[in-house]
Amino acid sequence: MFVSTRGSDDGDGSFGRPFLTLGRAQAEVRALKAQSDGPITVNIRGGEYYMSSSLHLNAEDSGTAESPITWQAYNGETVLLS
């Protein structure tokens, strides 16, 4: 799954149609987690993300050792949350 400053929350989270916000990615992570037990990776593309509120991660957002949920900067790109 991908998030980009050039994305849209109407996208599907793919590389070509990334989400715009981390909140939208969080909602998709929760939906995917409810449907399957596989690992989930959220790739955040480089750029500055202006957030009007905090992103709260809790037990709903946690994976397991066998099915981790990973949030990461894509390919070492620089991500700034502001």
Side-chain angles (χ1 to χ4, degrees), residues 15-73:
F15 184 83
R17 296 185 62 220
F19 297 129
L20 175 63
T21 64
L22 298 175
R24 175 64 181 93
Q26 181 183 37
E28 188 66 17
V29 164
R30 290 176 175 183
L32 290 172
K33 183 180 170 189
Q35 294 173 2
S36 72
D37 291 329
I40 300 170
T41 301
V42 180
N43 293 288
I44 306 168
R45 300 298 312 263
E48 188 167 0
Y49 293 82
Y50 297 95
M51 301 173 66
S52 60
S53 61
S54 299
L55 179 70
H56 297 277
L57 301 175
N58 59 41
E60 281 186 280
D61 306 301
S62 295
T64 64
E66 298 81 26
S67 299
I69 297 174
T70 306
W71 294 70
Q72 66 185 18

